[in-house]
Amino acid sequence: DANRQISEYKFKLSKAEQDITTLEQNIGRLEGQVTRYKNAAENAEKVEDELKAEKRKLQRELRMALDKIEEMEMTNSHLMKRLEKMKANRTALLSQQ
């Protein structure tokens, strides 16, 4: 009876050691996953920050381009008015002759 109990305890010990080994392997695998996920999250945050900076840069460039367009449209309008005045003056001078 004692031998049977000893055999049973040895079997349970062996099984527990196998379970511990399996759990340690799972821990290692899960720690690796956590590390990969942390790295992926850090990289995603870095990319997000870069994209935000690029967006701000592009928005700034867009505002500058729109301002330049507005300025050029005003200049064009002013020049068109001057041209019309010059044409009118020329027409007036030609009609006086």
Side-chain angles (χ1 to χ4, degrees):
D1 188 44
N3 283 338
R4 184 183 57 78
Q5 271 189 329
I6 290 172
S7 294
E8 191 176 307
Y9 288 138
K10 283 183 181 179
F11 175 76
K12 286 182 180 180
L13 176 63
S14 174
K15 178 72 172 134
E17 287 173 345
Q18 287 176 352
D19 290 344
I20 288 171
T21 302
T22 301
L23 292 172
E24 287 173 344
Q25 290 171 347
N26 285 342
I27 288 170
R29 181 178 52 79
L30 293 171
E31 285 174 344
Q33 283 182 342
V34 166
T35 302
R36 284 192 300 278
Y37 292 148
K38 279 184 181 178
N39 289 337
E42 288 171 1
N43 289 337
E45 288 174 359
K46 182 180 175 186
V47 168
E48 181 183 19
D49 291 342
E50 290 171 356
L51 289 173
K52 284 180 180 178
E54 181 70 15
K55 180 182 177 184
R56 285 191 300 272
K57 177 184 170 193
L58 291 172
Q59 287 176 332
R60 187 170 45 252
E61 288 176 4
L62 175 62
R63 281 192 306 273
M64 289 171 56
L66 291 173
D67 290 345
K68 187 74 172 174
I69 288 171
E70 183 179 350
E71 178 185 330
M72 288 179 163
E73 285 175 345
M74 287 174 52
T75 301
N76 187 39
S77 174
H78 174 71
L79 291 173
M80 293 293 283
K81 287 177 185 175
R82 282 182 57 192
L83 180 61
E84 290 300 319
K85 284 181 183 179
M86 292 173 96
K87 284 181 181 179
N89 287 340
R90 188 180 81 180
T91 304
L93 283 173
L94 289 175
S95 67
Q96 286 177 359
Q97 292 178 353

